[in-house]
């Protein structure tokens, strides 16, 4: 299940509540971990930290839940 998803104009909320609008970001899905979690490589900020939320649309977002040796675990909601 490898897939590359470009995101244009997405909003990122850090775990401290700081909102950042990114003109471009990219998520590369590596493998699925259950129904709503995937291991991904992600190009967003300088540091990808657990608790960071990536708003793709108004009600659709992904949250970084943990870091792995390859990348991050994203929980999709």
């Amino acid at each position: 299940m490898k897939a590359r998803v470009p995101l244009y104009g997405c909003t990122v909320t850090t775990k401290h509540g700081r909102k950042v609008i990114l003109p471009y970001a990219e998520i590369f899905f590596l493998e699925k971990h259950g129904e709503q979690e995937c291991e991904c490589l992600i190009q967003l900020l300088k540091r990808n930290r657990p608790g960071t939320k990536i708003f793709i649309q108004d009600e659709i977002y992904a949250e970084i839940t943990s870091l792995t040796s390859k990348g991050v675990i994203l929980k999709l909601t």
Side-chain angles (χ1 to χ4, degrees):
M1 176 199 129
K2 293 186 179 183
R4 186 179 305 264
V5 177
L7 302 172
Y8 299 96
C10 68
T11 302
V12 175
T13 302
T14 65
K15 73 176 192 175
H16 300 295
R18 186 174 145 236
K19 288 190 177 185
V20 179
I21 297 174
L22 300 175
Y24 179 78
E26 191 171 68
I27 300 173
F28 186 68
F29 293 91
L30 296 173
E31 65 182 80
K32 194 171 179 180
H33 287 254
E35 283 297 311
Q36 293 182 323
E37 292 188 336
C38 296
E39 186 169 10
C40 305
L41 295 174
I42 191 163
Q43 176 194 1
L44 284 178
L45 305 169
K46 289 182 182 178
R47 295 185 185 122
N48 296 316
R49 297 181 184 200
T52 300
K53 292 181 182 176
I54 305 139
F55 290 87
I56 300 163
Q57 289 181 351
D58 293 335
E59 299 293 323
I60 301 170
Y61 69 91
E63 182 176 353
I64 298 174
T65 57
S66 62
L67 304 176
T68 66
S69 60
K70 295 180 188 175
V72 299
I73 300 292
L74 280 183
K75 182 178 180 183
L76 306 168
T77 57

Short mmCIF file of all heavy atoms in Angstrom, two decimals, residues 34 41 45 63:
data_model
loop_
_atom_site.label_atom_id
_atom_site.label_comp_id
_atom_site.label_asym_id
_atom_site.label_seq_id
_atom_site.Cartn_x
_atom_site.Cartn_y
_atom_site.Cartn_z
N GLY A 34 -3.57 -1.26 11.25
CA GLY A 34 -4.94 -1.24 11.74
C GLY A 34 -5.86 -0.47 10.80
O GLY A 34 -5.51 -0.15 9.68
N LEU A 41 6.12 8.44 5.73
CA LEU A 41 7.16 9.46 5.67
C LEU A 41 6.43 10.76 5.40
O LEU A 41 5.51 10.80 4.58
CB LEU A 41 8.14 9.18 4.54
CG LEU A 41 8.98 7.93 4.66
CD1 LEU A 41 9.80 7.73 3.39
CD2 LEU A 41 9.89 8.00 5.85
N LEU A 45 7.14 19.93 8.67
CA LEU A 45 7.88 20.93 9.43
C LEU A 45 9.30 20.44 9.64
O LEU A 45 9.66 19.34 9.24
CB LEU A 45 7.17 21.14 10.78
CG LEU A 45 5.69 21.52 10.68
CD1 LEU A 45 5.05 21.43 12.06
CD2 LEU A 45 5.54 22.91 10.12
N GLU A 63 -3.43 12.85 12.61
CA GLU A 63 -2.63 13.24 13.77
C GLU A 63 -1.43 12.32 13.90
O GLU A 63 -1.55 11.11 13.77
CB GLU A 63 -3.47 13.16 15.04
CG GLU A 63 -2.73 13.60 16.27
CD GLU A 63 -3.61 13.62 17.51
OE1 GLU A 63 -4.81 13.41 17.41
OE2 GLU A 63 -3.05 13.84 18.59
#
